[in-house]
Amino acid sequence: MNKKITIKSISQQDKTVKASININGHEEIVTTLFNENCAPYISLKSIDPYVIGFLYFAMNYGYDIESKLPISEELYYNLHFHFIDSLIQANPNFHRVQINAPLTQANDISFNNKNIVATGISCGVDSLYTIATHGKQSSIPSDYKLNALCFFNVGAAMKGNYEPSALIEGRKKLAQTFAEEYGYKFLYVESNIHFIINKYAPYSHVENHTYMALFCCLHLQNGIAKYYYSSGYTIKDFSIIKEGNKELDAAHYDLLTLSIASINGCKFYSIGSTTTRLNKVSYLCNYPPAYKYLNVCVNEVQNDNKCFKSIRTILEIDAVGDITKFNKVFDINEYQSNFNWYLRRLYIDCKLKKDPLLQEVYPYFKYKISLTFKLKTIFSIIINKLLRKNG
């Protein structure tokens, strides 16, 4: 008999939504918090958010989903007849999730004030590119211009407890400040769903991030008309194949996931998959808000110049733009003074460790990486390994 996730009840008190969930005999409460701006848009008419939120976990670990509460007919159709079978065809070890719940049609659900055009804001490259190309000053049709920015605290920087980390709090403040400065409504959602999943199997945000964003958005079906998901990969990197024990990054197939989640008058779009990361960085080099808001660091609230994302991004900016414009978000003096250290990291990570994310930027610096530079780098690596071995 397959294991079961039973969605028993969903209730709201003020700006908090609680769902009573039974996971194979164990009672859990999924608690989701919203800020005041979200309040008019919260919808409890269906189990849609919870089906999406637990779906990858269910496929990966052999659970079916059941409820006496309804699921949107459109979502059920998209999942049951298209999405689940597509992933199973590519990954035979995945479980063919059965969803047993009554169906409800879009005309049975009241959608009021459905005029929100939103995207997530992390202030990273992909996020700011979406805002730059779809924001208020962009040239796209007016009905497609952003009027809201979302910050979802659902697993991106998960630590050992439910308390938001200093990194999350700092990112949230930065995102809210950006929204206020440029006149966007700021929507904040926080949930413990990833902690609950992690109790039953190791939670990977790499594999679940698209599902978690949709979990948040589908709670706001009364308001969101369009949502732009910032893609981390190009369309040529599309894949639904999980290779061995490697993580299957949800970004590789977000075009598919977003299309099946486009239901009940809410349309999800994948933005940025038609261009490269370096083209995005080049675009941001002429987008003034990025000069003081670009934030990519995985270690600190401010870019530390040392984490792998900070190193990659500062090299990308230097390759295609004027690095001095970004002196409010990076320590440019430190970068320029220690330029050879950054070149060394680029060579090691790109050529020796074969990091695919650095292949695009390497040609811009290869003329500065001489044969002598390479030999010195390799020699120093060997010496360090010998010292550690004998130390």
Side-chain angles (χ1 to χ4, degrees):
M1 182 179 294
N2 293 325
K3 295 177 284 187
K4 290 184 179 180
I5 299 170
T6 304
I7 304 165
K8 298 169 64 178
S9 66
I10 306 171
S11 61
Q12 180 180 354
Q13 184 173 2
D14 194 21
K15 298 182 290 296
T16 299
V17 171
K18 292 187 176 183
S20 176
I21 310 286
N22 184 289
I23 301 180
N24 210 42
H26 301 278
E27 299 293 334
E28 302 286 357
I29 300 294
V30 178
T31 302
T32 306
L33 311 176
F34 304 85
N35 70 352
E36 188 65 40
N37 287 339
C38 292
Y41 313 122
I42 298 172
S43 173
L44 307 184
K45 300 291 185 179
S46 72
I47 61 171
D48 298 352
Y50 301 92
V51 172
I52 288 289
F54 282 105
L55 185 61
Y56 188 79
F57 164 71
M59 287 190 293
N60 216 5
Y61 295 100
Y63 289 83
D64 290 331
I65 300 173
E66 65 178 17
S67 182
K68 293 182 179 180
L69 304 175
I71 181 175
S72 292
E73 182 180 67
E74 194 173 3
L75 181 61
Y76 174 81
Y77 170 78
N78 290 346
L79 293 176
H80 189 75
F81 293 98
H82 298 284
F83 184 76
I84 295 172
D85 286 336
S86 296
L87 263 69
I88 289 174
Q89 185 179 43
N91 306 281
N93 291 331
F94 278 9
H95 171 60
R96 207 289 173 206
V97 178
Q98 297 296 318
I99 302 170
N100 299 305
L103 306 182
T104 183
Q105 296 181 338
N107 56 12
D108 295 328
I109 303 174
S110 175
F111 295 119
N112 301 313
N113 305 315
K114 205 171 181 67
N115 57 5
I116 296 296
V117 182
T119 189
I121 176 168
S122 68
C123 291
V125 169
D126 299 324
S127 167
L128 289 184
Y129 177 79
T130 298
I131 297 170
T133 56
H134 288 72
K136 294 183 175 183
Q137 304 305 315
S138 64
S139 59
I140 63 172
S142 58
D143 285 351
Y144 290 80
K145 289 187 177 184
L146 291 163
N147 55 32
L149 301 177
C150 302
F151 190 91
F152 299 147
N153 181 14
V154 193
M158 190 179 79
K159 302 298 182 183
N161 55 63
Y162 186 47
E163 293 299 318
S165 66
L167 184 60
I168 285 291
E169 288 297 321
R171 289 269 170 80
K172 175 187 173 185
K173 182 177 180 181
L174 187 69
Q176 188 168 3
T177 302
F178 183 104
E180 290 171 353
E181 179 172 351
Y182 296 103
Y184 295 98
K185 183 171 291 188
F186 183 68
L187 305 178
Y188 176 75
V189 183
E190 173 184 317
S191 181
N192 67 340
I193 184 174
H194 53 295
F195 285 105
I196 290 175
I197 290 173
N198 195 58
K199 291 172 66 174
Y200 299 88
Y203 175 80
S204 165
H205 198 63
V206 169
E207 294 191 313
N208 282 278
H209 59 84
T210 310
Y211 299 92
M212 292 298 106
L214 291 171
F215 167 81
C216 295
C217 290
L218 291 176
H219 273 97
L220 304 175
Q221 287 193 59
N222 284 344
I224 295 180
K226 301 177 183 70
Y227 187 90
Y228 303 131
Y229 195 77
S230 301
S231 180
Y233 290 97
T234 63
I235 187 63
K236 70 180 180 65
D237 298 312
F238 182 92
S239 175
I240 57 173
I241 300 173
K242 183 177 173 69
E243 299 178 357
N245 293 324
K246 293 182 179 179
E247 292 179 314
L248 174 58
D249 192 334
H252 281 301
Y253 60 99
D254 61 20
L255 276 170
L256 175 62
T257 314
L258 297 171
S259 68
I260 64 96
S262 294
I263 60 171
N264 301 334
C266 177
K267 179 70 175 175
F268 293 97
Y269 299 87
S270 177
I271 304 299
S273 58
T274 58
T275 191
T276 66
R277 179 179 170 89
L278 211 53
N279 283 340
K280 293 178 186 178
V281 172
S282 179
Y283 196 97
L284 294 181
C285 285
N286 295 295
Y287 180 60
Y291 305 160
K292 58 180 178 177
Y293 281 103
L294 181 61
N295 187 283
V296 299
C297 190
V298 299
N299 296 327
E300 306 290 341
V301 175
Q302 304 298 326
N303 297 317
D304 66 358
N305 275 45
K306 299 302 178 186
C307 81
F308 74 96
K309 281 192 176 182
S310 292
I311 293 169
R312 180 181 68 181
T313 305
I314 199 170
L315 285 166
E316 289 168 336
I317 295 170
D318 198 16
V320 298
D322 180 0
I323 192 70
T324 62
K325 290 181 179 179
F326 292 83
N327 62 353
K328 291 182 179 179
V329 293
F330 287 105
D331 187 341
I332 305 304
N333 289 333
E334 189 277 336
Y335 169 73
Q336 293 174 334
S337 299
N338 297 283
F339 182 65
N340 281 343
W341 182 86
Y342 287 87
L343 282 185
R344 183 175 182 273
R345 282 293 303 267
L346 175 62
Y347 174 67
I348 292 172
D349 292 344
C350 179
K351 294 302 180 181
L352 302 185
K353 295 183 178 180
K354 306 297 182 183
D355 185 343
L357 298 176
L358 290 171
Q359 303 302 319
E360 191 180 12
V361 73
Y362 185 85
Y364 289 85
F365 296 97
K366 66 178 183 179
Y367 68 95
K368 295 183 179 181
I369 302 176
S370 64
L371 177 59
T372 302
F373 185 93
K374 295 175 185 178
L375 292 174
K376 285 183 177 179
T377 299
I378 294 171
F379 182 72
S380 69
I381 292 172
I382 294 172
I383 294 297
N384 287 333
K385 285 185 176 180
L386 289 173
L387 289 174
R388 285 197 297 269
K389 183 177 180 180
N390 297 325

